[in-house]
Amino acid sequence: MLTVDFARLPVGPGVRVLDLGCGGGRHAFEVLRRGADVTAFDMDQSELDGVAGMFAAMDKAGEVPAGANAQTVQGTALDMPFEDGAFDRVIAAEVLEHIPDDMTAMREIFRVLRPGGTAAVTVPSFLPERICWALDEDYHTAPGGHVRIYTLAELSAKLKSTGFEIGPHHHAHGLHAPYWWIKCAVGVNNDEHPLAKAYHELLVWDIMKRPAATRIAETLLNPLIGKSVVLYVRKP
């Protein structure tokens, strides 16, 4: 399930990509499939171990184009162990809402991106996120949870003040917002509730089968209740 649109963030052979806060690696895997050199970066070493294992499995299965390279690096977004201008592209998907000092993280993204490079920054959309916060306090007070709700205007202003040129944006995962509203309504940790389980099964089916009906529905829902907003920015 990709949040970033790679038509707007083109990657390919010879392009150096940082997947900041890579988590389970969903974007890093797609970058590698497209033949770019990817660095999967995260604080959680256990997540990185899983990503490294998948990189190896992809290579063994012949899914990695010739010349493409992948590595995992552990560290913090507030002080990344990379040289200035080390990357042509940076992906920061659902990361900044977890970081109290988000401006320092934005400055680090700016620093490690080369001049002329592009970053895709995604955060939870304001309205779906605000509803989740209202329904269940545990959703945002758990350790490592979300510490703020961005408006698009705030996110754009902060990135612009860091030095970025602001580009286009779009919303994603319109079908996922109702799932999280259900989860928050019944208890965000209550995975066994029948309604939450049923909707989760629907989402898994949609991801696996990608039927036309749900693709059309999500396209229509994304501008209204898309769970994530994706902003593309450029370093001058």
Side-chain angles (χ1 to χ4, degrees), residues 110-183:
F110 188 87
R111 181 185 67 79
V112 302
L113 190 62
R114 69 162 175 81
T118 306
V121 179
T122 95
V123 298
S125 300
F126 178 83
L127 178 59
E129 184 76 350
R130 186 68 190 87
I131 293 172
C132 287
W133 282 44
L135 288 172
D136 189 353
E137 187 174 350
D138 288 342
Y139 174 82
H140 66 94
T141 58
H146 299 179
V147 299
R148 71 177 58 79
I149 304 175
Y150 287 101
T151 64
L152 178 60
E154 177 190 358
L155 180 64
S156 299
K158 286 184 171 182
L159 288 166
K160 185 176 181 180
S161 72
T162 304
F164 285 108
E165 296 175 349
I166 305 302
H169 74 274
H170 62 86
H171 292 79
H173 311 316
L175 291 176
H176 289 247
Y179 169 71
W180 284 102
W181 297 339
I182 292 168
K183 286 274 287 179

Side-chain angles (χ1 to χ4, degrees), residues 4 6 9-20 27-32 34-41 55 69-71 82 86-92 112-113 118-120:
V4 171
F6 284 98
L9 189 81
V11 301
V15 176
R16 303 161 299 168
V17 183
L18 172 67
D19 186 2
L20 169 61
H27 288 105
F29 303 146
E30 181 64 19
V31 168
L32 186 59
R34 290 170 179 258
D37 298 332
V38 62
T39 297
F41 183 78
F55 284 155
N69 296 293
Q71 65 172 341
F82 307 117
F87 299 98
D88 305 299
R89 306 280 187 271
V90 174
I91 297 169
V112 302
L113 190 62
T118 306

Side-chain angles (χ1 to χ4, degrees), residues 22-25 28-29 32 40-41 44-60 64 70-73:
C22 65
F29 303 146
L32 186 59
F41 183 78
D44 189 337
Q45 186 60 52
S46 64
E47 290 272 35
L48 292 175
D49 291 342
V51 172
M54 181 58 74
F55 284 155
M58 290 172 63
D59 186 44
K60 186 176 181 180
V64 179
Q71 65 172 341
T72 61
V73 177

